[in-house]
Amino acid sequence: MDKYGADGTVIEINLSTVQVQNFDKTITHIPTYALLSDSYKNWRGMQNSGGRRIKRSILIKASSIHYLSDEAIEKLKGIESIREYLTQRQNDIETYNKSNNVDKSLFINGRNMTNFGVYRKYILTYVQNHSGINKDMTIMVRQLAPSPQGIPLEIYAFSSDKRWESYEYIMADIFDHALAAIPYFDLEPFELSTFYPDSSTL
């Protein structure tokens, strides 16, 4: 209950107050009536489910997104986990463009692959094969609405291990890899630059 600064486990209930031991081991006292009149989040559903939700985004710099040339696609085929996908996708696109007499002197004509789309597929494949992810629950890598900070790429999945320490480790392991993989797709993460004026002008 954010209103009362409570986020933990109920350890005692009596007529006037409910005692909650927070995750930082502090104790919060909540009026008993508040559990009936106010809203609260109950973690029990997560504990009883098959996994703990991971829902976090990476911001990609919009100006780094572009169409892929045939040479770039061949280079990306060196990534084993998406080699088959790239081959099949390339064949499908070429078949479509030829059958519709598309003028490919410009990339924008017809169907194409982008570095962002291929990166999204790569991250999805990586998450689907990660040993710490529950394969029976929702696994999704999606593009969210553009923002002034870039294009958010959200990873949505559930860790098999619900313990806090293990959950944080699994999530960090996935995002370490996702961030390190960005340059392979000729993309750039968004970073807020800081301007330091020339001291001589001060």
Side-chain angles (χ1 to χ4, degrees):
M1 299 184 76
D2 292 336
K3 179 178 177 180
Y4 296 95
D7 191 11
T9 303
V10 175
I11 57 175
E12 184 179 331
I13 301 176
N14 56 46
L15 290 176
S16 59
T17 61
V18 175
Q19 288 188 39
V20 176
Q21 183 177 58
N22 300 309
F23 293 129
D24 63 2
K25 302 304 179 184
T26 58
I27 304 295
T28 298
H29 295 263
I30 302 171
T32 302
Y33 68 80
L35 295 179
L36 299 176
S37 62
D38 295 355
S39 63
Y40 58 89
K41 180 184 289 186
N42 191 336
W43 292 100
R44 186 59 58 90
M46 180 272 293
Q47 293 176 337
N48 293 337
S49 72
R52 187 168 183 170
R53 189 182 69 174
I54 295 171
K55 186 176 183 288
R56 183 178 289 180
S57 301
I58 295 173
L59 288 169
I60 299 297
K61 193 173 179 180
S63 60
S64 69
I65 299 173
H66 56 76
Y67 294 122
L68 290 171
S69 65
D70 290 338
E71 293 77 11
I73 293 172
E74 290 304 316
K75 184 177 179 181
L76 286 171
K77 285 180 182 179
I79 303 174
E80 294 181 351
S81 62
I82 56 171
R83 184 180 298 152
E84 185 177 343
Y85 163 79
L86 287 171
T87 301
Q88 182 61 52
R89 183 76 174 147
Q90 190 176 32
N91 290 337
D92 291 344
I93 289 174
E94 288 178 355
T95 300
Y96 173 88
N97 288 337
K98 287 180 180 178
S99 63
N100 288 277
N101 296 316
V102 174
D103 177 9
K104 291 305 296 175
S105 60
L106 293 176
F107 274 125
I108 197 170
N109 293 331
R111 295 173 62 185
N112 303 278
M113 281 189 275
T114 66
N115 57 341
F116 194 30
V118 174
Y119 175 67
R120 186 173 67 248
K121 176 63 177 179
Y122 171 76
I123 296 301
L124 176 61
T125 303
Y126 178 80
V127 175
Q128 288 173 331
N129 290 297
H130 195 283
S131 60
I133 294 298
N134 187 328
K135 310 303 187 298
D136 296 324
M137 301 183 76
T138 302
I139 301 174
M140 182 168 51
V141 176
R142 61 176 182 161
Q143 181 185 143
L144 302 182
S147 74
Q149 289 75 40
I151 314 297
L153 185 72
E154 183 184 82
I155 296 175
Y156 188 102
F158 291 81
S159 65
S160 299
D161 195 329
K162 293 169 284 185
R163 292 173 298 175
W164 192 5
E165 299 90 340
S166 301
Y167 163 78
E168 291 290 348
Y169 176 85
I170 292 168
M171 184 162 55
D173 187 56
I174 289 172
F175 278 86
D176 284 351
H177 186 89
L179 288 166
I182 289 175
Y184 287 86
F185 297 84
D186 199 22
L187 290 165
E188 295 180 40
F190 174 82
E191 292 182 346
L192 186 63
S193 59
T194 304
F195 174 69
Y196 295 97
D198 187 342
S199 59
S200 64
T201 63
L202 298 178

